[in-house]
Amino acid sequence: ACTNATSSTTAQAPPPPAALRDPNIRALIDDYDRFFADSMQLTQTPGAAVVIVKDSTIIFQRGYGVKRAGSADSVDANTVFRIGSLSKGFAGVLTGILVQEGKLRWDDRVVRYVPEFALSSPGQTRDISLAHLLSHTTGLPYHAYTNMIEAGYDLRDIAAMFGRLPLHGKAGEIYSYQNAAFSLAGEAIRVATGKTYPQTLTEKIFRPAGMTNASADWISIRRNQNKAMPHNFTYAGWIPDTITTRFYNAAPAGGVNASINDMGQWLRVLLGHRTDIVSESTLNEVFRPVVRTYK
């Protein structure tokens, strides 16, 4: 056998997505890119990242600024950020997937999975379901014991202390934003699956969605060399801080780490383009309105 070294084929670049062949969309993206870069400069924000998904396609993805103020280490599409309360969306969809698989039910009572859970009303304690946790309608006051999460208390210990607090409403009637109560859904997931919340999240969402930089624990982000640092705003400007273990004890509420590349894949899941991960009917149930967040 011989090889003809003089003949070769030139690799053809894949055509751009259909949306990017629309000059109006390209103009919109260019305008938004300039707007975002200008806003970064105006606010002196150290670093950020943006992704835009149209239909099922990522049509724009870019990192801006630096990972740490005062450095020259640029944010890129794989730079991992702590995404804070955007983590809550993963908990809702993950619960929906497990309901879809028959491992959980929306109306499962919390005490079934967390026997320590107690409200000041024994009857309401028995009534609270996973759906109440995930819709912030347990009747607990706003941000009940978030300070204890930040202090590093175990969720089950916090669950036993809710009974000390006055209730602000009956189950399912009043929206009151939570972190500690919300995160008890992760305890239900652990009991139902026999795996930790981060393990189940990785198995059911991160890995199949192609979210290769995503995690839900402190060790993973501590070891990652491509991460954005938190910052505090002072009279001298933005000052870099350290990534602490806060909220990794309440990962469903605020413990997800992800890059903008990951979040683009997550948007595709939420928009219904990954029915191999979560069905359309489950997404409809997850997004179904259940309570007014205002009067």
Side-chain angles (χ1 to χ4, degrees):
C2 63
T3 303
N4 184 351
T6 60
S7 67
S8 62
T9 29
T10 304
Q12 294 285 327
L20 292 181
R21 296 198 290 272
D22 182 332
N24 294 315
I25 290 179
R26 291 186 67 89
L28 177 64
I29 289 173
D30 290 344
D31 284 347
Y32 185 78
D33 184 21
R34 286 191 292 271
F35 162 77
F36 198 89
D38 290 346
S39 298
M40 291 273 297
Q41 177 119 21
L42 183 65
T43 59
Q44 298 183 332
T45 300
V50 171
V51 64
I52 299 174
V53 175
K54 183 175 187 336
D55 301 324
S56 64
T57 306
I58 294 172
I59 60 171
F60 179 74
Q61 186 170 266
R62 182 182 168 188
Y64 298 81
V66 293
K67 302 167 194 172
R68 183 185 182 95
S71 78
D73 195 4
S74 299
V75 171
D76 61 40
N78 292 307
T79 299
V80 171
F81 290 77
R82 290 202 64 175
I83 69 169
S85 284
L86 289 178
S87 305
K88 290 182 172 71
F90 289 92
V93 173
L94 180 57
T95 302
I97 291 170
L98 295 174
V99 169
Q100 179 179 293
E101 294 177 352
K103 294 175 182 174
L104 289 173
R105 292 171 55 93
W106 295 112
D107 60 0
D108 277 347
R109 297 303 186 252
V110 174
V111 290
R112 173 179 174 182
Y113 301 103
V114 188
E116 300 91 336
F117 178 69
L119 301 178
S120 59
S121 162
Q124 193 151 323
T125 299
R126 291 189 297 270
D127 288 343
I128 297 300
S129 68
L130 295 181
H132 292 130
L133 296 181
L134 294 168
S135 60
H136 305 275
T137 58
T138 59
L140 284 165
Y142 177 75
H143 266 298
Y145 290 142
T146 291
N147 60 320
M148 296 185 76
I149 287 178
E150 294 176 346
Y153 280 76
D154 183 87
L155 271 178
R156 287 179 177 263
D157 293 336
I158 298 173
M161 298 180 194
F162 285 136
R164 302 176 184 179
L165 301 174
L167 291 171
H168 285 195
K170 294 180 180 179
E173 288 189 353
I174 295 175
Y175 171 83
S176 182
Y177 191 83
Q178 304 295 323
N179 283 307
F182 183 95
S183 291
L184 294 179
E187 290 296 291
I189 289 169
R190 184 184 64 79
V191 173
T193 63
K195 299 177 182 178
T196 67
Y197 179 79
Q199 286 172 333
T200 306
L201 191 56
T202 298
E203 178 184 313
K204 300 293 185 182
I205 296 179
F206 292 163
R207 191 178 298 131
M211 298 177 65
T212 55
N213 303 303
S215 61
D217 64 280
W218 180 69
I219 294 295
S220 292
I221 195 169
R222 183 172 69 87
R223 290 176 175 169
N224 193 313
Q225 298 302 304
N226 187 3
K227 60 179 175 282
M229 302 304 293
H231 290 73
N232 295 310
F233 188 72
T234 70
Y235 68 91
W238 291 101
I239 304 298
D241 202 347
T242 57
I243 295 176
T244 70
T245 58
R246 282 183 189 170
F247 275 93
Y248 292 112
N249 59 333
V256 171
N257 317 303
S259 68
I260 205 62
N261 187 38
D262 296 324
M263 295 303 280
Q265 301 306 322
W266 175 231
L267 277 174
R268 294 181 67 238
V269 172
L270 295 181
L271 290 168
H273 300 295
R274 292 302 307 270
T275 54
D276 56 316
I277 296 174
V278 57
S279 70
E280 181 181 355
S281 61
T282 295
L283 283 176
N284 287 340
E285 184 64 21
V286 168
F287 285 109
R288 180 177 61 83
V290 296
V291 66
R292 287 185 179 274
T293 57
Y294 60 91
K295 293 184 178 178

